[in-house]
Every structure is written in structure tokens, then in C-alpha cells.
Amino acid sequence: MPPRRRDRRSHRDPSPSPSRPSGPRASPSSPRLRLAFIVPPLLLLVLTVLHFTGLLSRSPPYPQTPGKTPLSVYDRGLVKRQVSAGEILAEHARVSENRSRRHFPNPVLAYVTPWNSKGYDMAKLFSMKLTHVSPVWYDLKRNKLSLEGQHNYDAGWVSELQNSGSLVVPRVVLEAFPGVVLLKKKSRDKTIELIVSECRDKGYDGVVLESWSRWAAYGVLDDPELRQLALQFVKQLGEALHSISSKSSTRNHLELIYVIPAPRMEGPNNQDFGPEDLLQLADSVGGFSLMTYDFSGPQNPGPSAPLKWIQYSLTTLLPAKGSASQVHSHMIFLGINFYGNDFLLSKGGGGGSITGRDFIHLLEKYKPSLQWDDKSSEHFFIYSDKGVRHAVFYPTLLSLSVRLDEAQDWGAGLSIWEIGQGLDYFFDVL
């Protein structure tokens, strides 16, 4: 397996600092002195064992392997508005024993990150539900044209996923300076060759490319000529990958999936990826990973992905739902977040993202009352800590089910960011 980052919570040495001895000095042969040397290490060993096994924590340790049940979350009546903290705590680690049954028939792209290593195991466990798996491994650096991240590669993990039917398409972030990649043909060709060679050498089924947000930051998309060069680069990479045969892909060639931002509700601008861009790339890429999450932030607390925003994004990029000319909807991998946010509602705002592990901890500690927001079609709850009010938005079975229904109505697939951050029973809805 690739090297995995430890959990964010640090484990500090609980032993106290040594204090100056008082009273009569003990001799080296004194039983009291021998005990003084023996007891602290033994006590430290016992405390360490208890700590890592979870026996010293207020709540039981977070399950590493999901429990099995003959019934899915739908059969157990868990996909609903009125959901309690107690019910989530009791059920979140139990999944249907039938892991090959798919409730969502369209393609599913699952991202896996090294810093949430649980995703590696979940990808293998639920591979029958995932058509594409994208490990977040590679960066093409700006200082010199080099592809970094080869140390993450795990041949055994990749092979196991491919043998189960999943396509492995690692993500590549294009961080190289646009002036180098787009304006110089030699550098452009070298960049594409680096990516294609890595796929060929490692036996990947293609790649997921992320570059649009970087190009927006550099101002590339505001210049019509540079924007056209950027689109031509994506097309050239897609065509290069298509020229390589693949035994795993149903299309018999390597695939390119391109990451695109969701359109802005306040109206499009030059930095948005629009329907004209989609049409220009449609023949050269296998799909578009649409980032319909992160709608809210610490300065504007709220839902992660309001349903109306998702619908607006799809209608902006595609013809009307059910239209005969809606030929590209199957290329969209609709973004679904498996993470949430814990926002501060006072003291100048703030807060940040949380994983399933964090969410479960908050439910155990505060026993909050979850509320359903009709406007966003998301659950949330409010709690107070040291006089500061917080709002927590985290996916639930119903919020996920509603978004899967929307994707299915459009004929679109899913892209999940990212499966190491979710609760185990989320996989039952896929």
C-alpha cells in the first residue's frame, strides 16, 4: 500500500514530567527505588494499550470494518426526513451484506486520497458499485515538467480493483505554469507524453485531469486565444490517451475524465466552464467530473450542495431534461460530497470541513436534533460549544438519495469526493 498519513488527532505521551524527590534519599538497592523505576513504565504501557484500544475514550472506537446485515438502508427504513442522532450512531457502520447490488445504474467515479486511507479499503470492499476509482496521486509540477507522485503507486491495490471490474484512473493536477505548457509545443508534447507514459507503464485505464481552476487563477481563461489553447491541450491529451488500447475499458482505449467547476448562480463569467466548452471537448474526453459541492464556506455558512444549485448547474451545461438533443448528459459525473462542514455562527465566523469520523464524534458528544432544510434538501444541526454556536451540514441517506435520483433523471453518473470521508452505510444507496 502507499504511505498513509496518520489521523489528524495526535497521540501525546501521557506521562508526567519528572519531579524532584523529597524525603530521605533512597539507596540503589532500596525496594522503593526499584519500584520507582518499574511502575511508571508499566503504568505508561497499560495507559497506552487502553488508549489505542479505545477503552479510555468516552465513546467506542470508530469501526474499521463495516458490520453486515441482510437488509439495505432502504429495507431498514433509514432513508427519511425524521432521522435522529441515536439512529445514525446505531446504524452507520452496518451495511447490506449484498455488496454487489447496485441501486444506482449509471457510472460512479470514486475519489480516494492518501490522507483518508480508509478510502483504499472501501474502494476494494465496494468495488462492484464503482465503475471508476481515482486515487489522488499525481501532480505535474510548475518549476520543471515532472510528474510527481509515483511513490503512491500500489500495484496490488490497482490490480485487485481492475480484476473486480473497476477502472483505475488516477487524478493528475496540472500545476505547471500555463505559459510553459500551452505556448510551447515542445513542452506541451512532453507534458502529454509524461501522462500517457505513466498510464502505459503502470497499467492504468486513463486519468482524471484537473487544470481548469489553475488556469482560471493564472488568468488564462480571460484571454480568448489562451483559452482556445487550453481547450486544445485537453483535446490533444484525450486523443493521445484514446490511441492507447485498454483491456479493461468497455471503450477499448484509455479514458480521460476532465474536472470542471459548477456554474455560478449569480451568472456565468469567463472563468466558468460553459456548454460551448463542453461541446468542443465532447469528442475527445470520456466524461466530466462536475464539482457540485463546496457551495458554502466559513464566511457564508450553509449547505454543501443545495439541490436547486445542482439543477441549475445541469441545466446550464446541458439541454432541457428529457430533450431529444440531450446527448451529452451521460458524460457528466455529478459531484457528490461524502464530507461535511462545521461552521461557526458567531465570533467572526470560521470553521471547516469534517469527515464521517468527526460527524459521529459530534453526535456522540452533543446529541443534537437534526433538521431537514426543504430549500437545500439537506439535513443540518446546531450545537453550542463554550458559548459559541455552530451549524453542521453533513450528508445523510436522504440527502444522498435525492441527489442520486436527480442524476438518474438526467442520465448522468456520479463523482464522489471522497469515499474515505463518508459513513459506511452511504455505500448502500449506490
PDB file of all heavy atoms in Angstrom, residues 371-395:
ATOM      1  N   GLN A 371     -32.283  18.569  11.635  1.00  0.00           N
ATOM      2  CA  GLN A 371     -33.395  19.213  10.946  1.00  0.00           C
ATOM      3  C   GLN A 371     -33.213  19.077   9.440  1.00  0.00           C
ATOM      4  O   GLN A 371     -32.093  19.094   8.940  1.00  0.00           O
ATOM      5  CB  GLN A 371     -33.474  20.692  11.322  1.00  0.00           C
ATOM      6  CG  GLN A 371     -33.542  20.971  12.815  1.00  0.00           C
ATOM      7  CD  GLN A 371     -33.453  22.455  13.111  1.00  0.00           C
ATOM      8  OE1 GLN A 371     -34.228  23.258  12.586  1.00  0.00           O
ATOM      9  NE2 GLN A 371     -32.500  22.835  13.945  1.00  0.00           N
ATOM     10  N   TRP A 372     -34.352  18.972   8.726  1.00  0.00           N
ATOM     11  CA  TRP A 372     -34.324  18.884   7.269  1.00  0.00           C
ATOM     12  C   TRP A 372     -34.645  20.257   6.684  1.00  0.00           C
ATOM     13  O   TRP A 372     -35.649  20.873   7.027  1.00  0.00           O
ATOM     14  CB  TRP A 372     -35.336  17.862   6.778  1.00  0.00           C
ATOM     15  CG  TRP A 372     -35.440  17.758   5.285  1.00  0.00           C
ATOM     16  CD1 TRP A 372     -36.412  18.276   4.480  1.00  0.00           C
ATOM     17  CD2 TRP A 372     -34.535  17.073   4.413  1.00  0.00           C
ATOM     18  NE1 TRP A 372     -36.178  17.966   3.170  1.00  0.00           N
ATOM     19  CE2 TRP A 372     -35.029  17.226   3.091  1.00  0.00           C
ATOM     20  CE3 TRP A 372     -33.354  16.349   4.597  1.00  0.00           C
ATOM     21  CZ2 TRP A 372     -34.380  16.681   1.982  1.00  0.00           C
ATOM     22  CZ3 TRP A 372     -32.713  15.812   3.497  1.00  0.00           C
ATOM     23  CH2 TRP A 372     -33.222  15.974   2.210  1.00  0.00           C
ATOM     24  N   ASP A 373     -33.779  20.729   5.788  1.00  0.00           N
ATOM     25  CA  ASP A 373     -33.983  22.017   5.131  1.00  0.00           C
ATOM     26  C   ASP A 373     -34.574  21.769   3.752  1.00  0.00           C
ATOM     27  O   ASP A 373     -33.905  21.232   2.868  1.00  0.00           O
ATOM     28  CB  ASP A 373     -32.647  22.762   5.030  1.00  0.00           C
ATOM     29  CG  ASP A 373     -32.774  24.079   4.288  1.00  0.00           C
ATOM     30  OD1 ASP A 373     -33.857  24.693   4.361  1.00  0.00           O
ATOM     31  OD2 ASP A 373     -31.802  24.500   3.632  1.00  0.00           O
ATOM     32  N   ASP A 374     -35.827  22.179   3.551  1.00  0.00           N
ATOM     33  CA  ASP A 374     -36.508  21.931   2.283  1.00  0.00           C
ATOM     34  C   ASP A 374     -35.856  22.675   1.123  1.00  0.00           C
ATOM     35  O   ASP A 374     -35.863  22.191  -0.020  1.00  0.00           O
ATOM     36  CB  ASP A 374     -37.981  22.343   2.379  1.00  0.00           C
ATOM     37  CG  ASP A 374     -38.811  21.319   3.135  1.00  0.00           C
ATOM     38  OD1 ASP A 374     -38.599  20.114   2.925  1.00  0.00           O
ATOM     39  OD2 ASP A 374     -39.653  21.724   3.952  1.00  0.00           O
ATOM     40  N   LYS A 375     -35.297  23.848   1.389  1.00  0.00           N
ATOM     41  CA  LYS A 375     -34.724  24.656   0.310  1.00  0.00           C
ATOM     42  C   LYS A 375     -33.498  23.999  -0.301  1.00  0.00           C
ATOM     43  O   LYS A 375     -33.307  24.022  -1.518  1.00  0.00           O
ATOM     44  CB  LYS A 375     -34.370  26.048   0.829  1.00  0.00           C
ATOM     45  CG  LYS A 375     -35.578  26.908   1.175  1.00  0.00           C
ATOM     46  CD  LYS A 375     -35.141  28.303   1.598  1.00  0.00           C
ATOM     47  CE  LYS A 375     -36.362  29.174   1.905  1.00  0.00           C
ATOM     48  NZ  LYS A 375     -35.948  30.546   2.321  1.00  0.00           N
ATOM     49  N   SER A 376     -32.659  23.422   0.530  1.00  0.00           N
ATOM     50  CA  SER A 376     -31.425  22.808   0.028  1.00  0.00           C
ATOM     51  C   SER A 376     -31.517  21.296  -0.104  1.00  0.00           C
ATOM     52  O   SER A 376     -30.677  20.677  -0.749  1.00  0.00           O
ATOM     53  CB  SER A 376     -30.253  23.145   0.964  1.00  0.00           C
ATOM     54  OG  SER A 376     -30.454  22.554   2.244  1.00  0.00           O
ATOM     55  N   SER A 377     -32.556  20.694   0.513  1.00  0.00           N
ATOM     56  CA  SER A 377     -32.683  19.233   0.593  1.00  0.00           C
ATOM     57  C   SER A 377     -31.470  18.624   1.289  1.00  0.00           C
ATOM     58  O   SER A 377     -30.851  17.667   0.804  1.00  0.00           O
ATOM     59  CB  SER A 377     -32.866  18.621  -0.804  1.00  0.00           C
ATOM     60  OG  SER A 377     -34.096  18.998  -1.356  1.00  0.00           O
ATOM     61  N   GLU A 378     -31.116  19.204   2.439  1.00  0.00           N
ATOM     62  CA  GLU A 378     -30.023  18.695   3.263  1.00  0.00           C
ATOM     63  C   GLU A 378     -30.424  18.731   4.733  1.00  0.00           C
ATOM     64  O   GLU A 378     -31.212  19.583   5.149  1.00  0.00           O
ATOM     65  CB  GLU A 378     -28.742  19.533   3.081  1.00  0.00           C
ATOM     66  CG  GLU A 378     -28.096  19.416   1.714  1.00  0.00           C
ATOM     67  CD  GLU A 378     -26.740  20.110   1.660  1.00  0.00           C
ATOM     68  OE1 GLU A 378     -26.097  20.270   2.719  1.00  0.00           O
ATOM     69  OE2 GLU A 378     -26.323  20.492   0.547  1.00  0.00           O
ATOM     70  N   HIS A 379     -29.870  17.807   5.506  1.00  0.00           N
ATOM     71  CA  HIS A 379     -30.010  17.847   6.963  1.00  0.00           C
ATOM     72  C   HIS A 379     -28.913  18.722   7.565  1.00  0.00           C
ATOM     73  O   HIS A 379     -27.821  18.850   7.002  1.00  0.00           O
ATOM     74  CB  HIS A 379     -29.895  16.438   7.557  1.00  0.00           C
ATOM     75  CG  HIS A 379     -31.153  15.633   7.471  1.00  0.00           C
ATOM     76  ND1 HIS A 379     -31.332  14.632   6.537  1.00  0.00           N
ATOM     77  CD2 HIS A 379     -32.303  15.671   8.202  1.00  0.00           C
ATOM     78  CE1 HIS A 379     -32.531  14.079   6.695  1.00  0.00           C
ATOM     79  NE2 HIS A 379     -33.131  14.687   7.700  1.00  0.00           N
ATOM     80  N   PHE A 380     -29.209  19.293   8.726  1.00  0.00           N
ATOM     81  CA  PHE A 380     -28.208  20.057   9.473  1.00  0.00           C
ATOM     82  C   PHE A 380     -28.592  20.038  10.944  1.00  0.00           C
ATOM     83  O   PHE A 380     -29.711  19.651  11.316  1.00  0.00           O
ATOM     84  CB  PHE A 380     -28.108  21.504   8.948  1.00  0.00           C
ATOM     85  CG  PHE A 380     -29.285  22.374   9.329  1.00  0.00           C
ATOM     86  CD1 PHE A 380     -29.212  23.237  10.418  1.00  0.00           C
ATOM     87  CD2 PHE A 380     -30.465  22.327   8.600  1.00  0.00           C
ATOM     88  CE1 PHE A 380     -30.292  24.034  10.777  1.00  0.00           C
ATOM     89  CE2 PHE A 380     -31.553  23.109   8.939  1.00  0.00           C
ATOM     90  CZ  PHE A 380     -31.463  23.972  10.036  1.00  0.00           C
ATOM     91  N   PHE A 381     -27.655  20.458  11.797  1.00  0.00           N
ATOM     92  CA  PHE A 381     -27.991  20.652  13.210  1.00  0.00           C
ATOM     93  C   PHE A 381     -27.153  21.785  13.782  1.00  0.00           C
ATOM     94  O   PHE A 381     -26.112  22.159  13.234  1.00  0.00           O
ATOM     95  CB  PHE A 381     -27.836  19.364  14.032  1.00  0.00           C
ATOM     96  CG  PHE A 381     -26.431  18.834  14.161  1.00  0.00           C
ATOM     97  CD1 PHE A 381     -25.535  19.372  15.086  1.00  0.00           C
ATOM     98  CD2 PHE A 381     -26.013  17.758  13.387  1.00  0.00           C
ATOM     99  CE1 PHE A 381     -24.252  18.861  15.216  1.00  0.00           C
ATOM    100  CE2 PHE A 381     -24.731  17.235  13.514  1.00  0.00           C
ATOM    101  CZ  PHE A 381     -23.847  17.790  14.433  1.00  0.00           C
ATOM    102  N   ILE A 382     -27.648  22.324  14.890  1.00  0.00           N
ATOM    103  CA  ILE A 382     -26.987  23.421  15.600  1.00  0.00           C
ATOM    104  C   ILE A 382     -26.543  22.914  16.967  1.00  0.00           C
ATOM    105  O   ILE A 382     -27.279  22.184  17.635  1.00  0.00           O
ATOM    106  CB  ILE A 382     -27.934  24.627  15.797  1.00  0.00           C
ATOM    107  CG1 ILE A 382     -28.541  25.072  14.453  1.00  0.00           C
ATOM    108  CG2 ILE A 382     -27.210  25.783  16.473  1.00  0.00           C
ATOM    109  CD1 ILE A 382     -27.552  25.663  13.487  1.00  0.00           C
ATOM    110  N   TYR A 383     -25.330  23.278  17.375  1.00  0.00           N
ATOM    111  CA  TYR A 383     -24.891  22.982  18.736  1.00  0.00           C
ATOM    112  C   TYR A 383     -24.052  24.148  19.247  1.00  0.00           C
ATOM    113  O   TYR A 383     -23.594  24.999  18.473  1.00  0.00           O
ATOM    114  CB  TYR A 383     -24.098  21.664  18.793  1.00  0.00           C
ATOM    115  CG  TYR A 383     -22.688  21.744  18.259  1.00  0.00           C
ATOM    116  CD1 TYR A 383     -21.601  21.983  19.109  1.00  0.00           C
ATOM    117  CD2 TYR A 383     -22.419  21.556  16.900  1.00  0.00           C
ATOM    118  CE1 TYR A 383     -20.299  22.043  18.623  1.00  0.00           C
ATOM    119  CE2 TYR A 383     -21.118  21.605  16.406  1.00  0.00           C
ATOM    120  CZ  TYR A 383     -20.065  21.851  17.276  1.00  0.00           C
ATOM    121  OH  TYR A 383     -18.783  21.912  16.799  1.00  0.00           O
ATOM    122  N   SER A 384     -23.868  24.200  20.570  1.00  0.00           N
ATOM    123  CA  SER A 384     -23.068  25.256  21.185  1.00  0.00           C
ATOM    124  C   SER A 384     -21.904  24.645  21.944  1.00  0.00           C
ATOM    125  O   SER A 384     -22.061  23.630  22.629  1.00  0.00           O
ATOM    126  CB  SER A 384     -23.916  26.092  22.150  1.00  0.00           C
ATOM    127  OG  SER A 384     -24.910  26.814  21.439  1.00  0.00           O
ATOM    128  N   ASP A 385     -20.754  25.269  21.790  1.00  0.00           N
ATOM    129  CA  ASP A 385     -19.552  24.820  22.495  1.00  0.00           C
ATOM    130  C   ASP A 385     -18.851  26.048  23.075  1.00  0.00           C
ATOM    131  O   ASP A 385     -18.421  26.928  22.326  1.00  0.00           O
ATOM    132  CB  ASP A 385     -18.623  24.074  21.532  1.00  0.00           C
ATOM    133  CG  ASP A 385     -17.375  23.558  22.218  1.00  0.00           C
ATOM    134  OD1 ASP A 385     -17.514  22.809  23.202  1.00  0.00           O
ATOM    135  OD2 ASP A 385     -16.268  23.912  21.772  1.00  0.00           O
ATOM    136  N   LYS A 386     -18.774  26.103  24.408  1.00  0.00           N
ATOM    137  CA  LYS A 386     -18.148  27.225  25.107  1.00  0.00           C
ATOM    138  C   LYS A 386     -18.762  28.559  24.704  1.00  0.00           C
ATOM    139  O   LYS A 386     -18.073  29.565  24.492  1.00  0.00           O
ATOM    140  CB  LYS A 386     -16.636  27.238  24.855  1.00  0.00           C
ATOM    141  CG  LYS A 386     -15.919  25.984  25.345  1.00  0.00           C
ATOM    142  CD  LYS A 386     -14.434  26.029  25.023  1.00  0.00           C
ATOM    143  CE  LYS A 386     -13.746  24.760  25.500  1.00  0.00           C
ATOM    144  NZ  LYS A 386     -12.289  24.748  25.157  1.00  0.00           N
ATOM    145  N   GLY A 387     -20.076  28.550  24.573  1.00  0.00           N
ATOM    146  CA  GLY A 387     -20.799  29.770  24.255  1.00  0.00           C
ATOM    147  C   GLY A 387     -20.820  30.143  22.786  1.00  0.00           C
ATOM    148  O   GLY A 387     -21.410  31.162  22.417  1.00  0.00           O
ATOM    149  N   VAL A 388     -20.188  29.342  21.934  1.00  0.00           N
ATOM    150  CA  VAL A 388     -20.140  29.633  20.504  1.00  0.00           C
ATOM    151  C   VAL A 388     -21.070  28.660  19.776  1.00  0.00           C
ATOM    152  O   VAL A 388     -20.963  27.447  19.926  1.00  0.00           O
ATOM    153  CB  VAL A 388     -18.701  29.499  19.959  1.00  0.00           C
ATOM    154  CG1 VAL A 388     -18.685  29.770  18.455  1.00  0.00           C
ATOM    155  CG2 VAL A 388     -17.765  30.444  20.684  1.00  0.00           C
ATOM    156  N   ARG A 389     -21.986  29.195  18.974  1.00  0.00           N
ATOM    157  CA  ARG A 389     -22.927  28.362  18.225  1.00  0.00           C
ATOM    158  C   ARG A 389     -22.293  27.884  16.920  1.00  0.00           C
ATOM    159  O   ARG A 389     -21.592  28.622  16.239  1.00  0.00           O
ATOM    160  CB  ARG A 389     -24.215  29.140  17.939  1.00  0.00           C
ATOM    161  CG  ARG A 389     -24.982  29.520  19.180  1.00  0.00           C
ATOM    162  CD  ARG A 389     -26.205  30.351  18.856  1.00  0.00           C
ATOM    163  NE  ARG A 389     -27.262  29.553  18.241  1.00  0.00           N
ATOM    164  CZ  ARG A 389     -27.755  29.771  17.031  1.00  0.00           C
ATOM    165  NH1 ARG A 389     -27.254  30.740  16.272  1.00  0.00           N
ATOM    166  NH2 ARG A 389     -28.732  29.035  16.547  1.00  0.00           N
ATOM    167  N   HIS A 390     -22.570  26.630  16.597  1.00  0.00           N
ATOM    168  CA  HIS A 390     -22.057  26.004  15.378  1.00  0.00           C
ATOM    169  C   HIS A 390     -23.227  25.474  14.553  1.00  0.00           C
ATOM    170  O   HIS A 390     -24.244  25.041  15.108  1.00  0.00           O
ATOM    171  CB  HIS A 390     -21.147  24.816  15.707  1.00  0.00           C
ATOM    172  CG  HIS A 390     -19.873  25.177  16.391  1.00  0.00           C
ATOM    173  ND1 HIS A 390     -18.633  24.913  15.840  1.00  0.00           N
ATOM    174  CD2 HIS A 390     -19.629  25.761  17.597  1.00  0.00           C
ATOM    175  CE1 HIS A 390     -17.688  25.320  16.670  1.00  0.00           C
ATOM    176  NE2 HIS A 390     -18.270  25.838  17.745  1.00  0.00           N
ATOM    177  N   ALA A 391     -23.059  25.469  13.235  1.00  0.00           N
ATOM    178  CA  ALA A 391     -24.001  24.813  12.329  1.00  0.00           C
ATOM    179  C   ALA A 391     -23.254  23.726  11.574  1.00  0.00           C
ATOM    180  O   ALA A 391     -22.194  23.994  10.984  1.00  0.00           O
ATOM    181  CB  ALA A 391     -24.604  25.813  11.349  1.00  0.00           C
ATOM    182  N   VAL A 392     -23.776  22.518  11.598  1.00  0.00           N
ATOM    183  CA  VAL A 392     -23.124  21.379  10.960  1.00  0.00           C
ATOM    184  C   VAL A 392     -23.990  20.870   9.813  1.00  0.00           C
ATOM    185  O   VAL A 392     -25.170  20.556  10.006  1.00  0.00           O
ATOM    186  CB  VAL A 392     -22.872  20.238  11.967  1.00  0.00           C
ATOM    187  CG1 VAL A 392     -22.344  18.990  11.259  1.00  0.00           C
ATOM    188  CG2 VAL A 392     -21.893  20.695  13.041  1.00  0.00           C
ATOM    189  N   PHE A 393     -23.392  20.816   8.629  1.00  0.00           N
ATOM    190  CA  PHE A 393     -24.021  20.239   7.456  1.00  0.00           C
ATOM    191  C   PHE A 393     -23.194  19.033   7.033  1.00  0.00           C
ATOM    192  O   PHE A 393     -22.021  19.162   6.709  1.00  0.00           O
ATOM    193  CB  PHE A 393     -24.077  21.260   6.311  1.00  0.00           C
ATOM    194  CG  PHE A 393     -25.007  22.408   6.550  1.00  0.00           C
ATOM    195  CD1 PHE A 393     -24.606  23.503   7.308  1.00  0.00           C
ATOM    196  CD2 PHE A 393     -26.297  22.398   6.025  1.00  0.00           C
ATOM    197  CE1 PHE A 393     -25.462  24.574   7.534  1.00  0.00           C
ATOM    198  CE2 PHE A 393     -27.154  23.462   6.243  1.00  0.00           C
ATOM    199  CZ  PHE A 393     -26.741  24.553   6.993  1.00  0.00           C
ATOM    200  N   TYR A 394     -23.840  17.877   7.047  1.00  0.00           N
ATOM    201  CA  TYR A 394     -23.155  16.644   6.673  1.00  0.00           C
ATOM    202  C   TYR A 394     -24.174  15.762   5.945  1.00  0.00           C
ATOM    203  O   TYR A 394     -25.353  15.742   6.305  1.00  0.00           O
ATOM    204  CB  TYR A 394     -22.592  15.928   7.910  1.00  0.00           C
ATOM    205  CG  TYR A 394     -21.737  14.728   7.571  1.00  0.00           C
ATOM    206  CD1 TYR A 394     -20.394  14.885   7.235  1.00  0.00           C
ATOM    207  CD2 TYR A 394     -22.277  13.451   7.539  1.00  0.00           C
ATOM    208  CE1 TYR A 394     -19.612  13.793   6.885  1.00  0.00           C
ATOM    209  CE2 TYR A 394     -21.511  12.346   7.195  1.00  0.00           C
ATOM    210  CZ  TYR A 394     -20.173  12.537   6.870  1.00  0.00           C
ATOM    211  OH  TYR A 394     -19.404  11.446   6.499  1.00  0.00           O
ATOM    212  N   PRO A 395     -23.744  15.013   4.917  1.00  0.00           N
ATOM    213  CA  PRO A 395     -24.699  14.204   4.148  1.00  0.00           C
ATOM    214  C   PRO A 395     -25.442  13.194   5.014  1.00  0.00           C
ATOM    215  O   PRO A 395     -24.912  12.683   6.007  1.00  0.00           O
ATOM    216  CB  PRO A 395     -23.815  13.489   3.121  1.00  0.00           C
ATOM    217  CG  PRO A 395     -22.561  14.272   3.060  1.00  0.00           C
ATOM    218  CD  PRO A 395     -22.372  14.889   4.400  1.00  0.00           C
TER     219      PRO A 395
END
